[in-house]
Amino acid sequence: MNKSNVRFAPWVGLHYERGFCGLRILLVCESHYGGKQHERPTVTPEIVKALALGERHPRATGKLSRHKHFTLIMSAVQNARKRFSDTQRKEFWNSVAYYNFLQEFLQGSRVAPSADVWQRSEKAFTEVLEVLAPDLIICFSLRNGNRIRSLAGSVPVAVVNHPSSRFTYSKVNPVIATHIAMAQVQKTQAPEFFSNALFNRWLEDTASALPTPGSHLSEPDKIALLAERKKSMAAIDEFY
């Protein structure tokens, strides 16, 4: 395994290269929350499958509900407030990439990351940009907006509120729509996209990840799952 600064693989939709509105769009939020024992390399694809697409872990005793976080993002990017079908949800999420910037779990939304965590996460994000080569970045975090812009180079960056923080379509949608139009103009001068081994690995991680089961597991399955997570995270951190 090649050394990488990325601990949590991004969600890379099956049709990311083709993109949404003709653009490779990278959606960036800020962090995952939970105890360190729940860290695992495929946490982001697992969560998207469960909370955005409504898929169920094969060993789960119950199903997690879709989370409005993902519906708000999907609606804002498409500038459409409506009830989406399962097919429409799959089409959207298979057309974009989604990434949480911080490369360590936070204990809660009120816990401030250390300067060291921010710095290591900047290195990881630079790597994500190199591999995914987005035509547009949409940053759903006002706190992190300037940092994302400074790392993005010539890639257009739309910075809007996080879905859980003063998020309103009337403020968010026009910003995203403007930047989509800007990126479409700029894309005519962009170089051709070429995938590499890491891109293909993230694509496979996304395709093969099982939806996170939450707490809907039997006790033996919970113990086994924690052991799997610890093992997979240790393999990543060996090269981190």
Side-chain angles (χ1 to χ4, degrees), residues 33 37 44 56 117 133 139 151 155 157 166 203:
Y33 300 103
Q37 71 273 21
T44 304
R56 178 174 175 170
V117 171
C139 174
L151 297 170
V155 181
V157 180
R166 300 179 182 178
L203 197 63

Side-chain angles (χ1 to χ4, degrees), residues 86-239:
D86 290 345
T87 298
Q88 289 169 328
R89 290 175 187 274
K90 287 181 180 179
E91 286 177 351
F92 175 78
W93 289 103
N94 274 322
S95 301
V96 299
Y98 176 92
Y99 180 72
N100 269 338
F101 186 85
L102 294 174
Q103 292 297 286
E104 292 185 19
F105 275 21
L106 299 185
Q107 298 301 309
S109 59
R110 302 296 181 183
V111 178
S114 68
D116 186 50
V117 171
W118 282 115
Q119 185 176 24
R120 291 200 303 272
S121 298
E122 287 182 3
K123 293 179 181 179
F125 187 67
T126 298
E127 185 176 339
V128 168
L129 292 181
E130 291 174 354
V131 174
L132 296 185
D135 299 309
L136 172 64
I137 301 167
I138 304 176
C139 174
F140 290 89
S141 168
L142 297 182
R143 174 169 71 170
N144 205 20
N146 287 337
R147 182 178 287 102
I148 296 295
R149 287 194 181 103
S150 70
L151 297 170
S154 61
V155 181
V157 180
V159 179
V160 296
N161 292 71
H162 188 275
S164 66
S165 177
R166 300 179 182 178
F167 184 99
T168 61
Y169 290 123
S170 61
K171 290 183 178 180
V172 171
N173 290 22
V175 174
I176 293 176
T178 297
H179 281 78
I180 286 177
M182 183 191 311
Q184 287 172 328
V185 172
Q186 185 168 313
K187 185 176 173 66
T188 61
Q189 304 171 355
E192 185 179 353
F193 176 80
F194 292 99
S195 63
N196 60 21
L198 191 52
F199 175 84
N200 291 329
R201 193 175 90 199
W202 290 343
L203 197 63
E204 173 57 29
D205 286 343
T206 297
S208 61
L210 295 176
T212 186
S215 60
H216 298 298
L217 287 177
S218 67
E219 199 58 35
D221 281 342
K222 287 179 184 178
I223 294 171
L225 184 63
L226 285 174
E228 289 172 11
R229 289 174 175 175
K230 182 178 180 180
K231 182 178 179 180
S232 63
M233 203 72 252
I236 290 292
D237 286 341
E238 182 180 353
F239 297 91

